[in-house]
Amino acid sequence: MNTPHLSLRQLNLMVRDAIESALPDEYWVEAELSECRENSGHCYMELIEKDERSNTPVARASAKCWRQTWTMVKPYFERVTGQPLRAGMKVLLQVYAQYHEAYGFSWIVTDIDPTYTIGDMARKRQEIIRQLKEEGVFDLQRELILPTFTKHIAVISAESAAGYGDFCRQLEDNDYGFRFEVTLFPAIMQGEQVEQSIISALNQIYATVPVGSPTGLPSFDCVVILRGGGATADLSGFDTLALAENVAQFPLSIITGIGHDRDESVLDMVSHTKVKTPTAAAAFLIDHMYRVWKRITDAETFISQYVGERLRYQQQCISQLSTLIPTLALRVLSDSRHRIEMTESRLPIAIERRLSEQKHLLERLSIQLQGLDPQLLLKRGYSITLHNGKAVRDPMELKAGDEIETRVEKGTIRSVVKN
């Protein structure tokens, strides 16, 4: 049997011609990156679409962005979005279909719209913010009060990061001679491991609670999260729900100096204080300590001035009293002497008046006594009957045989009671 047949290459060429004929144009397609890698200046992507309800893949495809296109698309995308292309990101790609007889089918990327990715990132960020607010943790950090003397600093940063070195030098070389104690808790600050690495560092800091601590707080005054010297585009690790929840609910004030000028990350939003760079974080701590020192020196100056003023006032009072005391003493002596003289001049008159009053009183009493003298009554013809030396007022007081005396003006009559 002599059946016509094709070689595989011939068949694939037919497929290529069919695809190129059926899909001659370029198309904008929405997809999620399940894989994204660079090799020899080219970018190789795996595209995926998931069911919105079950999150299971419903479509897959490979895509390539050749070097001449990738060298223009990549920096523009990163500059606009602030992030590199990475797995899990939703993108809007301009592609055309290509089928190669040796390598198979692939979508060739000619452009990427960063605004679509920004919108998707913004939607994710807003969803995280909404969930944090529903949980009631979004503003917890801002309710914390930075300690008055913030000098024991826990730093989360990559150990070799230039920003960490700048931060330490800025604290060390401050103009006021303040001394800070910095302890580094190394962490990965870019890439997919940012979230878990920073959370692990926070757990280590939390574990530093001193034995028997009455507050139950770690041994530091605050935490500073620094990122400097790395790729400014790779910031997606700071926009995750788990990291935001850990930072928002941490018991110490957290200062972020991630080092970027784009819209703030979710980590910035939930932190106690956000600054742009590690050196700005150091400047913030120095300024905080300066304000404390300024309050102390102002209080010292006020106390010194107040005490000085009070001492001067008291000295002035003492000086015035020392001047017034002799004058007052003389005035008191003069007044006393005058009162004595007045008393001396008034005393004879007062004595004479008193004696006259007493004499008059005696005369009146004498007259009253004379009016009460029994002898006067006797002279008028009255008599007084006595029994045992006492005046008899009621005859019933006497009985037969009692001896009584009756006094008259010119003598005494003694009698015996018969009945």
Side-chain angles (χ1 to χ4, degrees):
M1 181 177 178
N2 189 13
T3 305
H5 61 273
L6 299 171
S7 68
L8 178 60
R9 184 173 182 276
Q10 289 174 323
L11 182 62
N12 284 354
L13 286 173
M14 291 175 63
V15 172
R16 185 183 70 179
D17 291 340
I19 290 176
E20 290 178 354
S21 298
L23 301 171
D25 301 320
E26 293 186 347
Y27 307 92
W28 285 100
V29 59
E30 299 176 359
E32 180 181 327
L33 296 176
S34 64
E35 186 179 339
C36 184
R37 67 185 188 280
E38 291 187 59
N39 188 10
S40 301
H42 310 297
C43 182
Y44 299 88
M45 310 173 195
E46 292 295 325
L47 308 181
I48 192 171
E49 180 180 345
K50 297 178 180 178
D51 183 272
E52 292 183 358
R53 292 172 296 179
S54 63
N55 207 37
T56 57
V58 295
R60 293 180 182 274
S62 296
K64 301 180 181 69
C65 188
W66 302 125
R67 182 189 300 115
Q68 62 269 24
T69 302
W70 182 242
T71 54
M72 294 184 295
V73 168
K74 175 186 177 181
Y76 177 67
F77 181 88
E78 292 182 350
R79 185 170 62 255
V80 174
T81 65
Q83 298 193 34
L85 281 170
R86 56 177 176 78
M89 184 177 285
K90 287 187 177 181
V91 291
L92 181 61
L93 309 172
Q94 187 177 46
V95 299
Y96 67 86
Q98 183 183 75
Y99 187 87
H100 192 278
E101 59 272 17
Y103 303 108
F105 179 83
S106 180
W107 292 104
I108 305 303
V109 178
T110 59
D111 198 2
I112 304 175
D113 185 356
T115 59
Y116 174 86
T117 303
I118 288 176
D120 181 67
M121 291 162 51
R123 284 191 296 273
K124 289 182 178 178
R125 186 179 299 130
Q126 288 303 316
E127 176 61 24
I128 292 173
I129 293 171
R130 182 193 63 77
Q131 188 165 342
L132 292 170
K133 289 183 177 180
E134 286 184 355
E135 294 172 0
V137 301
F138 187 79
D139 295 314
L140 287 181
Q141 271 284 314
R142 281 179 285 278
E143 294 176 4
L144 298 177
I145 299 175
L146 202 63
T148 302
F149 297 98
T150 303
K151 57 180 297 185
H152 300 282
I153 317 298
V155 175
I156 299 176
S157 176
E159 189 169 6
S160 59
Y164 172 62
D166 294 340
F167 173 81
C168 292
R169 283 190 294 274
Q170 181 98 347
L171 288 183
E172 181 68 24
D173 299 333
N174 69 84
D175 296 335
Y176 311 104
F178 301 142
R179 290 292 173 260
F180 297 89
E181 298 178 12
V182 177
T183 302
L184 175 66
F185 291 82
I188 298 171
M189 300 306 289
Q190 58 186 21
E192 297 181 0
Q193 300 181 51
V194 169
E195 176 186 274
Q196 288 303 320
S197 184
I198 295 179
I199 291 175
S200 175
L202 288 172
N203 290 336
Q204 293 177 48
I205 295 171
Y206 186 77
T208 64
V209 178
V211 177
S213 170
T215 62
L217 294 176
S219 304
F220 299 96
D221 297 319
C222 72
V223 178
V224 179
I225 300 178
L226 300 177
R227 179 186 182 275
T232 57
D234 191 7
L235 291 163
S236 59
F238 301 99
D239 281 334
T240 70
L241 178 62
L243 179 57
E245 287 175 332
N246 274 268
V247 169
Q249 299 178 79
F250 202 73
L252 298 180
S253 299
I254 293 181
I255 302 166
T256 56
I258 298 176
H260 62 94
D261 293 323
R262 70 173 181 84
D263 292 340
E264 60 185 350
S265 67
V266 176
L267 182 65
D268 288 324
M269 294 178 187
V270 299
S271 65
H272 179 277
T273 301
K274 73 174 183 69
V275 294
K276 289 186 176 180
T277 63
T279 53
F284 172 79
L285 292 171
I286 294 170
D287 183 63
H288 175 75
M289 189 67 78
Y290 171 77
R291 291 196 300 271
V292 172
W293 174 76
K294 188 71 166 57
R295 289 201 302 271
I296 293 174
T297 55
D298 287 348
E300 181 182 8
T301 301
F302 172 77
I303 292 172
S304 177
Q305 292 176 345
Y306 179 78
V307 171
E309 290 175 359
R310 293 299 299 176
L311 285 174
R312 286 190 295 273
Y313 174 75
Q314 296 299 330
Q315 289 172 349
Q316 185 179 4
C317 290
I318 292 172
S319 177
Q320 291 176 347
L321 287 174
S322 64
T323 303
L324 291 174
I325 285 174
T327 304
L328 290 174
L330 290 174
R331 183 180 301 169
V332 170
L333 288 174
S334 176
D335 291 345
S336 299
R337 184 179 297 109
H338 178 68
R339 286 196 298 271
I340 292 171
E341 291 174 351
M342 292 293 293
T343 302
E344 288 178 347
S345 63
R346 293 173 182 173
L347 188 59
I349 298 173
I351 293 173
E352 184 177 349
R353 181 184 302 159
R354 185 66 174 170
L355 289 174
S356 176
E357 290 174 352
Q358 293 301 316
K359 180 179 179 182
H360 181 65
L361 177 62
L362 287 174
E363 289 174 351
R364 285 190 294 135
L365 291 175
S366 176
I367 293 171
Q368 290 176 0
L369 287 175
Q370 290 175 3
L372 297 175
D373 187 357
Q375 195 64 35
L376 294 176
L377 294 175
L378 296 178
K379 287 182 178 180
R380 295 175 185 169
Y382 292 97
S383 64
I384 299 174
T385 299
L386 303 175
H387 177 251
N388 294 330
K390 295 181 179 181
V392 177
R393 298 178 181 275
D394 186 357
M396 300 303 294
E397 295 177 358
L398 302 175
K399 59 182 182 296
D402 286 341
E403 291 185 1
I404 59 174
E405 291 182 359
T406 301
R407 293 184 181 180
V408 294
E409 178 184 2
K410 298 189 176 186
T412 300
I413 302 171
R414 289 182 173 81
S415 309
V416 176
V417 178
K418 291 184 177 182
N419 53 49

